[in-house]
Amino acid sequence: MESVNIALTEGMLTIPLTISIKVSYSSEAEKTITVNQLMPATEVTRPISYYENYTGYNADFLDFKVPLPTLTEEQRNNAAMNSYAKDGEDPSVLPYTNFSIVMNRQRQLAYYTVVNINGESAVELARGGDKWYLDARIADSEQIGEELYKRNALDRGHLVRRLDPVWGANAARANEDTFHFTNCSPQHERFNQNEETWLGLENYILHFANRESKKLTVFTGPILNSADPLYKGVRLPLAFWKIVVFTRKSGNLGAAAFVLEQGKLIETLPAVKAMFEPGTYRVTIDNLMERTNLDFAYLKTYETPLSENQLKRSASEQVAVKPDYSNVIL
């Protein structure tokens, strides 16, 4: 958080924000107030021209072609369509800088996001103040805006992590693009910011890419269930998933799937009940396909086996990820 130093000699200070105030006295005549600004996110819309010539995710980014999953007829009928897609472009795919998103218009959340990560040319950019954007290429009613996140413990959880697409000549643009409401999903603050769940897995994946100067493709999305609890007119997903696709040291393609649960944390919101303990799990791609109805069958050949301890394969379809990620093999 940034701090603003304001010198006061007399009078009253009124700030229309949630603030914490630390008062220190350098003398009787001068008081210095440090205001830790908990800036509320703003909701704005960019002009359509902003998105011109966007190509988004590159399926040929790795040494192997990694296509987008084919939607079922029902999913495609329910996908939000880009009103400004050009001839030859799939209108169900919203392209951004180094990533793309396919939206479920009924749930107003992503079916999935997919991002190209380039550890060799990654750029570290400070986050700055949050300004979140509605995407003008689809209807406002097909995306969740700021109202859901007011006065509660819900975070606007990035699906494509802010720093994942931030590489190359357009790094700053990619950073801005991650702040679209299409790219966020309601996540409990203790899930979104937890080093043992969402944040921890995101950091692990990005640090792996940067440390090894690796290129990765990462698919991410919420697990959408008709029984998800209703809050402020929105059904809150109780779990999220990721598939990491990468090139092994052998030169072969590799893939690993994860599910992250936030159910018991969501239960802390008013009138919301859930079943699952928060945690991170390696799962089989078959298990993930069954829970999401997304077709990733083409990745099964390259799947990294589940392991309890890196030495012994697990016969289970789900294995809890250890806090130090020692049983995660990429």
Side-chain angles (χ1 to χ4, degrees):
M1 292 291 181
E2 296 181 357
S3 294
V4 177
N5 293 324
I6 304 172
L8 298 179
T9 55
E10 62 179 357
M12 179 175 66
L13 176 67
T14 302
I15 298 179
L17 300 172
T18 303
I19 62 174
S20 62
I21 297 177
K22 178 182 178 181
V23 181
S24 61
Y25 300 88
S26 56
S27 70
E28 286 299 318
E30 180 178 83
K31 297 183 177 69
T32 301
I33 298 179
T34 300
V35 181
N36 184 18
Q37 299 184 72
L38 302 180
M39 297 295 293
T42 57
E43 177 185 299
V44 292
T45 304
R46 294 190 184 278
I48 288 297
S49 59
Y50 175 87
Y51 305 96
E52 286 182 2
N53 301 317
Y54 267 25
T55 56
Y57 167 72
N58 178 5
D60 296 310
F61 183 69
L62 302 181
D63 297 329
F64 302 78
K65 190 177 186 67
V66 183
L68 301 180
T70 301
L71 300 181
T72 66
E73 182 178 358
E74 180 182 358
Q75 288 170 334
R76 189 164 186 85
N77 288 338
N78 195 38
M81 295 294 172
N82 178 358
S83 301
Y84 298 88
K86 297 177 181 178
D87 291 343
E89 294 179 342
D90 184 345
S92 71
V93 181
L94 297 171
Y96 299 91
T97 305
N98 298 330
F99 68 98
S100 294
I101 298 175
V102 175
M103 290 291 291
N104 179 323
R105 60 186 175 88
Q106 284 190 339
R107 290 291 298 266
Q108 303 171 280
L109 295 170
Y111 272 124
Y112 67 85
T113 68
V114 58
V115 60
N116 300 127
I117 301 176
N118 191 336
E120 189 173 11
S121 56
V123 178
E124 286 286 342
L125 290 180
R127 177 161 181 158
D130 281 14
K131 182 183 289 185
W132 286 83
Y133 298 89
L134 293 167
D135 193 320
R137 296 172 294 180
I138 62 175
D140 289 357
S141 61
E142 296 173 337
Q143 49 198 315
I144 296 172
E146 182 60 27
E147 184 60 33
L148 176 66
Y149 302 96
K150 291 181 178 177
R151 297 179 293 277
N152 54 41
L154 290 177
D155 278 355
R156 305 161 206 82
H158 277 76
L159 294 174
V160 171
R161 186 179 189 246
R162 182 182 68 85
L163 290 174
D164 282 358
V166 178
W167 52 269
N170 296 317
R173 184 73 163 229
N175 179 69
E176 287 289 317
D177 280 358
T178 65
F179 287 93
H180 277 80
F181 281 106
T182 50
N183 185 45
C184 77
S185 186
Q187 294 180 345
H188 195 282
E189 60 188 10
R190 283 190 282 147
F191 174 85
N192 183 44
Q193 303 170 32
N194 191 334
E195 285 286 354
E196 294 184 4
T197 50
W198 191 253
L199 179 62
L201 180 59
E202 289 185 322
N203 286 342
Y204 176 84
I205 292 169
L206 188 62
H207 290 167
F208 170 78
N210 292 351
R211 183 180 67 247
E212 304 290 334
S213 295
K214 285 272 191 179
K215 289 183 176 181
L216 305 177
T217 286
V218 179
F219 294 90
T220 305
I223 292 179
L224 304 175
N225 192 302
S226 59
D228 286 339
L230 197 62
Y231 177 71
K232 286 189 172 183
V234 173
R235 292 203 178 275
L236 303 180
L238 300 182
F240 297 84
W241 60 271
K242 285 182 180 288
I243 296 180
V244 184
V245 187
F246 55 97
T247 303
R248 303 181 192 276
K249 291 181 179 179
S250 65
N252 297 323
L253 195 66
F258 300 84
V259 166
L260 303 94
E261 308 277 7
Q262 70 164 352
K264 283 294 184 182
L265 297 176
I266 287 294
E267 224 179 28
T268 64
L269 296 171
V272 171
K273 294 291 182 185
M275 296 176 59
F276 305 106
E277 294 292 342
T280 304
Y281 303 89
R282 267 292 321 275
V283 298
T284 63
I285 290 176
D286 274 332
N287 178 282
L288 187 64
M289 288 171 55
E290 182 178 351
R291 296 184 69 176
T292 64
N293 291 318
L294 293 171
D295 186 2
F296 289 104
Y298 68 94
L299 291 175
K300 290 168 56 177
T301 301
Y302 313 105
E303 183 172 12
T304 301
L306 270 62
S307 172
E308 297 282 0
N309 57 13
Q310 282 199 354
L311 300 176
K312 183 180 179 180
R313 294 189 181 190
S314 173
S316 172
E317 287 195 338
Q318 176 172 299
V319 172
V321 172
K322 295 182 178 180
D324 62 357
Y325 296 91
S326 61
N327 63 332
V328 174
I329 307 171
L330 293 181

